[in-house]
Amino acid sequence: MIELVQIGKSYDGKTFVVDDVNVRIEKGEFFVLVGPSGCGKSTLLRMIAGLEPITSGSLRINGKEMNDVPPSERNLSMVFQNYALYPHLTVEENITFGLHTKKISKQERKKRCMEAAEMLGLTDYLKHKPRQLSGGQRQRVALARAIVAQTPICLMDEPLSNLDAKLRAKMRFEIRQLQQQLGITMIYVTHDQMEAMTMADRIMVMDGGRVQQIGEPLDVYNHPANIFVASFIGSPAMNMTKADVLEQSLIFNRERIMRLAHRFPLETKNITIGVRPEHIRLANKNDPYFTVKVVNVERLGTETLITFALTKKEHWIARWNGQCSVRVGDEVPVTIDEQHVLFFNEAGERLYVGVGDDYVSFRETKF
Amino acid sequence: MFRSVKQNFEGMLYIFPSFLLFAIFVFYPMVRTGYLSVHMTDFQGNPTNFVGLEHFRYLLEDVNFQQSVKATLLFVLYTVPPTIIIALSLALLANEKVKGIQLFRTLFSSTLGMSVAASSVIWMFMYNPAIGVINRIITALGGEERQWLLNPDTALIAVAVATVWMNIGFAFLILLGGLQNIDSSLYENAKIAGVSYMYQLRRITIPLLSPTLFFVTTVSLIHAFQTFGQIDILTKGGPMNATTVIVYSIYREAFINYNFGFASAQAVVLFFIVLLVTIVQFAVVERKVHYQ
Amino acid sequence: MSIFRSMVTYILLVIGAVIVMFPIGYAFIISFLSGAQLLQGVLWPDEWSLQNYVTAFEKVPLLRYLWNSFIVSFIVMIGQLLVSSLAAYAFVFLRFWGRDVLFFMTIATMLIPWEATVIPNFLTIQKFGWTNSYLGLTVPFFALAFGIFLLRQHFKTIPFELYEAAQVSGVRHFRFFWYVVLPLSKTSLATLGVYSFLTTWNMYLWPLLVTNDEKVRTVQIGLKQMQTQEMATEWGVVMAAVVIVIMPTLLLLFIGQKQLQKGLMQGAIK
């Protein structure tokens, strides 16, 4: 069990690149830190590893304070983004690197290495040098090295970012399987929300050095805490638009108006609304609807992405299953269930309002 | 492949200045040195009569030349390994990430900005038997004064010590650059694995630094064979030819004794020594050096 | 890093710095001591008198020598930058007959020690009537294989598409060289410039051979001359001259250190 209590990191003593991180990671959990580059996720991981000193707060592993314990005594392993393989050592030497410090006999080292190699399909390459391997194989060597240490915790820093898309999908599955098989606690850093969604037991979304939300992937997807999380998680991204509040209506760029079943607090003047692309659907016969003009259509085979103009300035994307016959320039009637519309205040925080079961309509205004 | 005359001409135009200068100041003199080495010459350096390999045969017998080859080899031995070991230690130190490290890096590389003449003059004074700091320290510690540069037993070592100091800056800067080129995640992984500093040095740093070490060694070796300035200022080749390294011998033969033919023969020998060193370095080390 | 380890690091760093800097600091201190003080074994000046510096300028034409060194170093620097960059451009961007052979020959010149060719070079300069002139001190060093190699390495990193785009739009080679390649290579040119200036300023054997009067004599030869003339009595004055001579190059080194290191590494490994 790993506990982070008010963890902060600052290089100059004034600005914090990681600020006030609180989280408890359970044993055997696959925990993913996700966020855009520069959000502090790698720094946080390196603080857990002991490669960066912790400026403030406390890091506990199994209840023991670890802030000043050197990396080698934290009983963890780490896989680096560039794999950190020693170019002059063979695959076998790379895998067993450092094991001698843990007072493990030569036979045991050899045995562990063979097992790990077997598991990852590296048996034939043990005498090769890293430069003779493909990207995927190098990645596996790095994994094998993390495995043979048999530490209860494994840290991974963007381990798949140097692989091509196909291989990445395959390795996602392999890493996840490996983690479950070995029962280790995994802390995994990535900037790829897809990776986070597919691999994690829980994800922690970070931005600007601060935690934005922690939760199970679907929870975060369905109930984003703020605009950042809403727009970061999901692809294509959630549609977002600013609106002015006028009594029980929302006005979009003076072009469209949306009526609500409820009122916002009086002081709310501007809000942002968000709708996931899959929640905008073609209106059925009896649905209230609003008409939009299609500006782009992307047919991906299993689904179709339709870009339409919500206002003159803003384009939204709708995602429909199957292969639609909509064409650019068409005017189509669409509708959104009100329960699928998310509201955010000016600070970007989620506004929880009473959910009606009405449909939402974006009518054109008459001003 | 067809290329237009114009294209060829244009290329030639750009390299013409370099090759004109190379022709006059590198290729021609190389050939000319070879030519002079098989001739007797007058005081203006004009060849008078062909003597074949007479100069070279004489070189083999000449006690002075044997002494100068010996002095050169000893000088190389006294300067190259110490320079590299000291510079490597300094570079390892200066590669630590502590506050104010940039200042130390600048200080350690400062001898690169020191001219041979200025450095030699400083060391000349430091070696001064009566008032130089070295003898002062030694007498303060209860030792006895020495005539460092005038004693045949110590002169070459004294010049070598000064030379090591002069060469540290260059070797340091290159080795530090080599260390900084090593991917830091390799050390981080070692940190997590918990290996000792010496193991890390032996297993990671030295192997990965080997291309740079190889380069510094080659350059230092060649440089050592070409030593002249500090000899000219500190000892003038003396005492008893103990510090007459090969370039100084060439200089003395050509520009003091005006024996250009004989000096050219020595220059040819110098050329082949440097060539040999370079080839041996590449041949031997190429197989042992780890390139990434 | 543990406190203990960083303490040890600092101690070793300071010891290293003291040893490396000792001769320079020593020269500096001596330059403020009078001959009498030196004989008495005074180790620290009681007053920081500039008398030795004044005497140094009076005894030998130090200013003249400094000027000569500066002019020579500057001319060699400009010459090397121009000649090397032209050749490097041809080797990277132009296709012409014998290019690879010529490049190989360029590299081969690095194997020839300058000292091995110094005799015919001296005779050549004599024949040209260039002894005791800036020409003789500078022109032989304009072509530098290391410089061509260094710049070639950098020019190769310039996207070839830029060259092709220039060709398509009909830009002449020299314009492309002057307005695109050179500005994009400022850092490498600066590195080579610092390197040329330093090495020329510090040159010893060649100026010793081709100068025998004050008109163009460089400061390094001036130092040697001072040291042989002054001998035991006026060491303070000699050291004052030393300090003056090393100042420009030390400053240049401190400013251009990072550049120089990067550049030299490039020439070394790649």
Side-chain angles (χ1 to χ4, degrees):
Chain A
M1 183 187 64
I2 304 163
E3 270 178 296
L4 282 67
V5 184
Q6 295 178 333
I7 295 276
K9 174 75 188 178
S10 173
Y11 292 100
D12 58 4
K14 279 174 252 154
T15 50
F16 277 74
V17 291
V18 171
D19 199 6
D20 194 26
V21 174
N22 293 286
V23 69
R24 219 178 116 110
I25 298 162
E26 301 298 333
K27 188 170 179 305
E29 191 174 11
F30 198 116
F31 192 80
V32 175
L33 304 179
V34 65
S37 59
C39 73
K41 57 191 190 298
S42 284
T43 311
L44 186 60
L45 190 77
R46 291 165 58 81
M47 285 196 280
I48 297 172
L51 298 171
E52 295 273 357
I54 296 169
T55 313
S56 61
S58 132
L59 166 72
R60 291 188 208 126
I61 298 178
N62 295 327
K64 190 173 161 245
E65 163 116 3
M66 284 288 172
N67 286 34
D68 297 318
V69 175
S72 55
E73 288 161 37
R74 294 186 186 198
N75 207 7
L76 44 79
S77 55
M78 183 158 171
V79 176
F80 293 84
Q81 181 170 10
N82 64 2
Y83 317 141
L85 300 184
Y86 301 102
H88 58 294
L89 302 181
T90 63
V91 167
E92 181 172 358
E93 288 167 318
N94 262 295
I95 292 176
T96 56
F97 184 90
L99 280 186
H100 70 280
T101 60
K102 299 198 164 61
K103 305 215 167 45
I104 296 166
S105 71
K106 244 202 173 107
Q107 294 98 314
E108 172 66 12
R109 271 186 256 166
K110 183 97 189 163
K111 195 177 131 245
R112 284 194 194 179
C113 175
M114 293 311 291
E115 279 171 9
E118 181 86 17
M119 216 182 287
L120 291 158
L122 290 169
T123 316
D124 296 339
Y125 302 100
L126 287 175
K127 295 286 172 250
H128 287 52
K129 294 274 174 70
R131 67 163 172 275
Q132 296 165 289
L133 304 181
S134 69
Q137 288 166 334
R138 285 180 208 180
Q139 162 74 65
R140 286 199 175 88
V141 177
L143 289 179
R145 189 165 63 189
I147 292 170
V148 294
Q150 298 191 352
T151 55
I153 301 166
C154 181
L155 311 179
M156 294 197 178
D157 189 3
E158 308 240 9
L160 303 183
S161 60
N162 289 336
L163 301 179
D164 63 59
K166 219 171 173 178
L167 203 51
R168 204 151 50 205
K170 188 164 177 262
M171 292 306 296
R172 275 206 308 249
F173 168 70
E174 280 190 29
I175 291 177
R176 177 72 190 162
Q177 223 183 14
L178 215 55
Q179 180 262 341
Q180 281 170 344
Q181 209 175 324
L182 301 171
I184 47 182
T185 311
M186 177 76 80
I187 305 180
Y188 186 105
V189 163
T190 180
H191 65 272
D192 181 348
Q193 56 90 23
M194 175 106 97
E195 237 168 78
M197 292 292 289
T198 51
M199 298 173 85
D201 290 323
R202 274 197 304 159
I203 64 179
M204 173 160 113
V205 186
M206 290 184 73
D207 184 45
R210 290 182 159 273
V211 176
Q212 303 297 320
Q213 191 170 3
I214 302 174
E216 287 172 23
L218 281 183
D219 249 9
V220 174
Y221 184 85
N222 292 331
H223 307 291
N226 56 37
I227 290 189
F228 176 79
V229 177
S231 59
F232 187 77
I233 300 288
S235 172
M238 184 184 278
N239 297 300
M240 300 266 184
T241 298
K242 280 204 162 74
D244 300 315
V245 181
L246 194 74
E247 293 182 342
Q248 233 172 310
S249 303
L250 299 177
I251 299 161
F252 300 91
N253 196 32
R254 299 193 161 201
E255 286 176 46
R256 282 183 193 272
I257 186 162
M258 172 181 166
R259 272 186 206 295
L260 298 167
H262 52 80
R263 280 174 184 277
F264 284 106
L266 267 181
E267 66 274 15
T268 318
K269 291 274 180 280
N270 292 295
I271 62 159
T272 300
I273 76 157
V275 179
R276 294 235 177 251
E278 63 268 30
H279 293 142
I280 303 170
R281 58 184 177 82
L282 207 57
N284 289 327
K285 217 181 222 166
N286 298 321
D287 294 336
Y289 66 90
F290 59 104
T291 318
V292 294
K293 189 166 182 178
V294 175
V295 293
N296 191 28
V297 179
E298 295 169 64
R299 293 189 179 80
L300 303 175
T302 55
E303 60 186 28
T304 308
L305 300 180
I306 289 131
T307 310
F308 60 84
L310 180 74
T311 67
K312 285 198 191 82
K313 285 193 208 153
E314 275 148 324
H315 289 170
W316 274 22
I317 293 180
R319 173 151 79 186
W320 294 342
N321 282 333
Q323 305 173 356
C324 299
S325 54
V326 178
R327 263 181 247 170
V328 173
D330 286 357
E331 304 253 344
V332 290
V334 296
T335 188
I336 303 166
D337 295 336
E338 188 170 330
Q339 56 173 350
H340 288 138
V341 181
L342 308 181
F343 302 95
F344 303 93
N345 67 14
E346 278 174 85
E349 290 152 10
R350 178 85 180 273
L351 278 175
Y352 293 91
V353 289
V355 178
D357 45 11
D358 217 348
Y359 294 103
V360 176
S361 182
F362 295 77
R363 289 181 216 296
E364 294 192 32
T365 58
K366 305 277 183 297
F367 326 120
Chain B
M1 205 203 317
F2 173 78
R3 290 197 193 98
S4 71
V5 176
K6 182 171 169 278
Q7 224 177 348
N8 273 326
F9 178 74
E10 208 156 17
M12 296 295 183
L13 205 63
Y14 280 79
I15 57 163
F16 178 73
S18 291
F19 274 80
L20 177 69
L21 289 162
F22 280 150
I24 298 174
F25 296 112
V26 181
F27 299 132
Y28 161 74
M30 200 56 244
V31 174
R32 185 72 178 172
T33 301
Y35 183 75
L36 289 177
S37 73
V38 291
H39 285 81
M40 294 302 276
T41 49
D42 63 15
F43 285 123
Q44 269 85 48
N46 299 312
T48 48
N49 51 309
F50 179 76
V51 293
L53 296 176
E54 196 56 38
H55 288 315
F56 293 96
R57 217 171 62 214
Y58 183 68
L59 276 181
L60 287 178
E61 297 161 5
D62 184 16
V63 187
N64 283 338
F65 186 72
Q66 284 167 8
Q67 167 61 30
S68 97
V69 169
K70 190 181 141 207
T72 309
L73 292 177
L74 278 177
F75 184 77
V76 168
L77 187 70
Y78 293 158
T79 54
V80 177
T83 304
I84 289 172
I85 290 168
I86 295 172
L88 179 62
S89 316
L90 292 177
L92 286 170
L93 271 175
N95 197 34
E96 294 285 335
K97 283 164 194 65
V98 294
K99 273 213 181 74
I101 197 68
Q102 195 53 45
L103 172 72
F104 288 102
R105 288 180 185 166
T106 306
L107 293 181
F108 290 168
S109 62
S110 59
T111 66
L112 181 58
M114 298 286 293
S115 68
V116 170
S119 308
S120 304
V121 170
I122 297 175
W123 280 88
M124 178 107 200
F125 182 65
M126 290 180 32
Y127 284 129
N128 187 301
I131 51 176
V133 68
I134 290 174
N135 270 351
R136 281 201 198 274
I137 290 174
I138 286 174
T139 48
L141 295 174
E144 63 183 287
E145 286 186 3
R146 276 171 180 276
Q147 303 263 7
W148 296 103
L149 294 171
L150 297 177
N151 181 342
D153 296 332
T154 55
L156 192 64
I157 291 177
V159 178
V161 168
T163 307
V164 168
W165 179 78
M166 295 175 207
N167 294 344
I168 280 175
F170 173 79
F172 164 77
L173 207 58
I174 299 293
L175 288 173
L176 178 65
L179 287 175
Q180 288 172 338
N181 270 356
I182 298 176
D183 185 351
S184 63
S185 66
L186 297 181
Y187 289 112
E188 288 173 347
N189 184 66
K191 241 179 173 177
I192 288 173
V195 301
S196 69
Y197 181 78
M198 286 319 284
Y199 186 84
Q200 185 176 305
L201 189 66
R202 213 183 57 220
R203 274 305 250 177
I204 306 177
T205 309
I206 300 294
L208 290 178
L209 193 62
S210 53
T212 317
L213 274 170
F214 157 66
F215 170 76
V216 172
T217 313
T218 312
V219 172
S220 301
L221 269 175
I222 292 173
H223 201 68
F225 279 107
Q226 292 167 272
T227 303
F228 173 78
Q230 52 270 57
I231 304 287
D232 186 47
I233 291 179
L234 288 173
T235 60
K236 299 230 170 295
M240 291 160 54
N241 282 343
T243 60
T244 308
V245 294
I246 193 158
V247 175
Y248 194 79
S249 170
I250 294 171
Y251 166 78
R252 191 161 57 188
E253 216 50 67
F255 300 106
I256 295 176
N257 301 337
Y258 297 105
N259 199 346
F260 290 105
F262 189 47
S264 296
Q266 300 189 11
V268 170
V269 173
L270 172 69
F271 169 72
F272 279 109
I273 292 176
V274 170
L275 193 67
L276 192 72
V277 168
T278 320
I279 291 171
V280 168
Q281 281 271 311
F282 270 92
V284 174
V285 187
E286 185 79 1
R287 275 179 290 141
K288 301 212 164 172
V289 167
H290 301 287
Y291 288 98
Q292 301 207 15
Chain C
M1 201 187 311
S2 70
I3 308 237
F4 172 73
R5 181 141 178 238
S6 57
M7 280 286 283
V8 172
T9 308
Y10 272 119
I11 291 170
L12 292 174
L13 279 169
V14 170
I15 293 174
V18 167
I19 293 173
V20 172
M21 294 306 286
F22 179 78
I24 300 175
Y26 184 63
F28 185 74
I29 289 167
I30 298 298
S31 73
F32 290 98
L33 294 175
S34 69
Q37 284 174 312
L38 275 175
L39 286 175
Q40 291 156 16
V42 177
L43 289 177
W44 195 258
D46 38 343
E47 58 165 336
W48 297 90
S49 150
L50 289 175
Q51 187 52 47
N52 285 335
Y53 288 83
V54 176
T55 317
F57 279 102
E58 283 168 355
K59 275 270 167 80
V60 287
L62 201 53
L63 214 55
R64 175 87 218 169
Y65 295 165
L66 282 167
W67 175 247
N68 288 336
S69 272
F70 178 79
I71 290 293
V72 169
S73 306
F74 189 75
I75 296 177
V76 170
M77 182 178 85
I78 298 295
Q80 281 188 355
L81 287 176
L82 257 172
V83 173
S84 305
S85 57
L86 281 171
Y89 177 79
F91 283 131
V92 174
F93 290 103
L94 299 176
R95 303 272 170 279
F96 55 90
W97 184 82
R99 191 176 73 142
D100 296 340
V101 177
L102 290 174
F103 185 68
F104 177 76
M105 281 169 77
T106 307
I107 297 300
T109 63
M110 290 208 259
L111 289 178
I112 300 175
W114 167 251
E115 286 75 7
T117 56
V118 79
I119 296 167
N121 276 329
F122 174 73
L123 299 172
T124 306
I125 293 297
Q126 226 173 17
K127 209 169 285 166
F128 287 178
W130 283 2
T131 45
N132 283 319
S133 76
Y134 289 142
L135 279 177
L137 282 168
T138 55
V139 176
F141 303 100
F142 282 0
L144 178 74
F146 171 72
I148 296 175
F149 187 65
L150 183 78
L151 292 179
R152 174 181 170 268
Q153 295 301 94
H154 192 270
F155 288 177
K156 275 169 86 174
T157 64
I158 295 173
F160 205 71
E161 289 81 3
L162 278 183
Y163 171 76
E164 285 167 342
Q167 289 286 292
V168 169
S169 54
V171 173
R172 288 194 183 280
H173 273 303
F174 192 76
R175 277 187 77 82
F176 179 68
F177 168 70
W178 196 257
Y179 290 106
V180 179
V181 175
L182 289 191
L184 281 176
S185 313
K186 268 188 220 133
T187 50
S188 290
L189 292 170
T191 308
L192 182 59
V194 172
Y195 175 84
S196 319
F197 195 94
L198 271 179
T199 42
T200 314
W201 181 273
N202 292 340
M203 207 179 277
Y204 184 77
L205 175 58
W206 186 248
L208 182 70
L209 294 178
V210 299
T211 62
N212 47 35
D213 65 20
E214 285 168 10
K215 201 170 57 85
V216 296
R217 180 175 288 155
T218 62
V219 81
Q220 308 299 339
I221 310 306
L223 271 186
K224 171 197 157 90
Q225 185 198 6
M226 264 183 113
Q227 179 256 323
T228 34
Q229 285 167 2
E230 303 299 319
M231 286 320 283
T233 49
E234 300 246 38
W235 275 105
V237 180
V238 178
M239 288 303 162
V242 165
V243 171
I244 293 166
V245 173
I246 63 177
M247 229 31 124
T249 43
L250 278 186
L251 278 179
L252 189 64
L253 181 74
F254 291 166
I255 296 165
Q257 187 208 4
K258 275 202 171 153
Q259 282 291 326
L260 198 64
Q261 180 186 357
K262 233 192 281 166
L264 292 176
M265 286 301 296
Q266 244 174 23
I269 306 301
K270 284 159 193 160

